[in-house]
Each structure stands twice: as structure tokens, then as C-alpha cells.
């Protein structure tokens, strides 16, 4: 049976760390594996805690009187040395729930005011992102945004352009641009549904 024998912390950074796993594969063989995590210490790894507390929040927000546009960001990512389309998102601060984090992050990244919907927890509970390399999980919040776009809340390390996209622009983005996969799946759904949030109704 596959199992973890030992965990060694390899880095000491504020937002992201690397852990080396001494593991056993299903046949009893030795495995050396590396995992990136938001955990700043070993005892907070999800391998240890077994919880799914959200590291971050992703914000799926509609915009406009007809609610027929979606709020996106085009953000420079060092891992790509390029810009990629995403939903507004960010880390959840200690003591903050992810709905509160969504309101704060939307304001910081776009200048817009975000009004989250109250939905069944099944739709916004934290899910894992890229489990082949990280234990990170993120909650998703849904709602509506209004106000005026602003870059005043950006940190120096954030290089973000706010994009308010209608369906024609979303189609172009999916065909021609780099898009984060979680965002891409939602945008495909946005293209086909007259009421994009209908799937939230039980």
C-alpha cells in the first residue's frame, strides 16, 4: 500500500514552500517525491491535518445591468514569463472566511465591489487545484460586481489588467489566449448558458 514514511521541509518562504517526501509505492518500493505547499510548517500540511481549509479563493463574478459580462484579469505570472487570463483570486487571510476574502480580493485586484451569492456549500467548498505538485485547495465564490475598475489596490508584485468580457470576447480569449484551466471550464459554461449561475440552483 502507498504511504508516506517521512516529510522533510526544504525551504522557508512566506507564501510557498517545498517539502520532500520519503514514501513507499503500492508495491513496497521507495519513492522520493516533492510537494509545494502554502503551509509554512510541516504540521500544517494537509498530509498531516487531513482538512480542506481553503488556502485561496477564486471569484466568478458577472457584471453589467444584464449580468451578461464576466470579470476576468489578465495577469503576468513569473512561472510563465507571460500573461494569462484568470478569475480574480487570492489567498485567504488568517481569521477570514473565503466569502470575505473574495470581497477583499476583488476590491484589491479590480477596484470593483463584489456581492457574493448565498449558495449551497457543495458549490463553493474548497477543491484541490494541481494535486500532482501541490496540496493547495481553493474555495470558489459566485456573485455580481459593480463599480469602476481601478488599479489602486494592486501590490507592486501584481501586474494585472482587468477585463470585463462579453461572450464574443470570451470566445476569442478561449481560442487565442492563455487561460488558467479552472477559469477556462467556467468560461466554456458561460458561453452556453443564458443564465450562467443557473447550475447553482438545486
Amino acid at each position: 500500500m502507498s504511504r508516506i514514511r517521512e516529510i522533510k521541509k526544504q525551504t522557508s518562504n512566506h507564501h510557498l514552500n517545498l517539502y520532500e517526501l520519503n514514501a513507499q509505492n503500492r508495491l513496497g518500493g521507495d519513492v522520493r517525491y516533492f510537494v509545494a505547499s502554502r503551509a509554512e510548517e510541516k504540521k500544517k500540511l494537509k498530509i498531516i491535518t487531513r482538512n480542506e481549509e481553503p488556502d485561496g479563493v477564486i471569484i466568478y463574478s458577472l457584471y453589467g445591468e444584464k449580468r451578461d459580462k464576466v470579470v476576468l484579469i489578465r495577469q503576468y505570472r513569473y512561472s510563465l514569463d507571460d500573461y494569462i487570463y484568470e478569475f480574480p483570486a487570492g489567498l485567504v487571510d488568517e481569521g477570514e472566511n473565503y466569502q470575505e476574502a473574495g470581497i477583499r480580493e476583488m476590491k484589491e485586484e479590480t477596484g470593483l465591489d463584489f456581492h457574493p451569492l448565498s449558495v449551497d456549500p457543495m458549490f463553493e467548498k474548497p477543491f484541490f487545484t494541481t494535486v500532482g505538485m501541490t496540496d493547495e485547495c481553493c474555495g470558489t465564490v459566485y456573485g455580481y460586481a459593480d463599480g469602476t475598475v481601478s488599479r489602486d489596490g494592486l501590490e507592486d508584485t501584481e501586474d494585472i489588467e482587468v477585463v470585463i468580457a462579453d461572450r464574443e470576447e470570451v470566445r476569442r480569449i478561449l481560442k487565442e489566449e492563455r487561460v488558467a484551466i479552472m477559469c477556462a471550464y467556467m468560461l466554456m459554461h458561460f458561453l452556453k448558458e443564458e443564465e450562467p449561475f443557473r447550475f447553482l440552483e438545486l
Side-chain angles (χ1 to χ4, degrees):
M1 184 176 81
S2 300
R3 67 184 182 90
I4 305 297
R5 294 181 179 133
E6 183 183 20
I7 303 169
K8 296 179 182 177
K9 188 178 180 186
Q10 298 294 309
T11 61
S12 293
N13 299 312
H14 182 51
H15 289 302
L16 186 66
N17 284 290
L18 187 67
Y19 292 85
E20 180 182 353
L21 309 182
N22 176 346
Q24 171 184 300
N25 68 25
R26 63 183 177 84
L27 301 177
D30 293 333
V31 175
R32 186 176 178 223
Y33 201 89
F34 292 89
V35 172
S37 178
R38 300 290 186 185
E40 293 187 25
E41 49 189 331
K42 188 167 67 172
K43 69 181 181 180
K44 293 185 178 180
L45 283 169
K46 291 181 175 64
I47 291 170
I48 305 293
T49 65
R50 300 293 177 179
N51 71 33
E52 294 176 17
E53 290 297 315
D55 300 293
V57 62
I58 299 165
I59 308 154
Y60 182 6
S61 180
L62 303 180
Y63 185 88
E65 287 185 13
K66 296 182 180 179
R67 295 174 174 171
D68 57 352
K69 298 178 178 68
V70 62
V71 180
L72 303 173
I73 59 172
R74 181 176 176 267
Q75 180 166 202
Y76 175 84
R77 290 295 192 179
Y78 294 101
S79 56
L80 301 175
D81 189 25
D82 199 1
Y83 292 85
I84 186 167
Y85 283 82
E86 307 172 61
F87 284 134
L91 297 180
V92 177
D93 290 342
E94 190 172 346
E96 185 178 51
N97 67 45
Y98 46 94
Q99 292 86 1
E100 293 167 339
I103 293 169
R104 176 182 53 76
E105 286 289 347
M106 178 68 94
K107 192 68 174 178
E108 290 174 1
E109 292 193 351
T110 72
L112 299 174
D113 296 313
F114 178 62
H115 310 281
L117 291 171
S118 178
V119 302
D120 189 287
M122 172 181 72
F123 295 111
E124 60 182 14
K125 76 173 204 175
F127 291 106
F128 291 95
T129 56
T130 311
V131 292
M133 61 183 292
T134 179
D135 67 350
E136 180 185 59
C137 66
C138 294
T140 305
V141 290
Y142 309 85
Y144 305 107
D146 55 37
T148 303
V149 169
S150 169
R151 296 170 55 90
D152 292 344
L154 294 181
E155 297 177 8
D156 293 347
T157 55
E158 292 178 313
D159 186 351
I160 292 174
E161 173 193 352
V162 181
V163 178
I164 310 294
D166 60 16
R167 285 179 172 82
E168 182 178 347
E169 178 63 3
V170 164
R171 189 178 301 277
R172 186 200 67 78
I173 288 168
L174 287 172
K175 284 182 178 180
E176 300 176 9
E177 305 287 352
R178 287 182 156 186
V179 185
I181 191 167
M182 292 173 285
C183 177
Y185 284 142
M186 289 294 194
L187 292 182
M188 293 173 196
H189 183 266
F190 174 79
L191 283 180
K192 293 297 183 182
E193 287 290 336
E194 184 175 340
E195 173 44 67
F197 287 160
R198 184 171 292 142
F199 74 96
L200 297 171
E201 301 171 4
L202 291 176

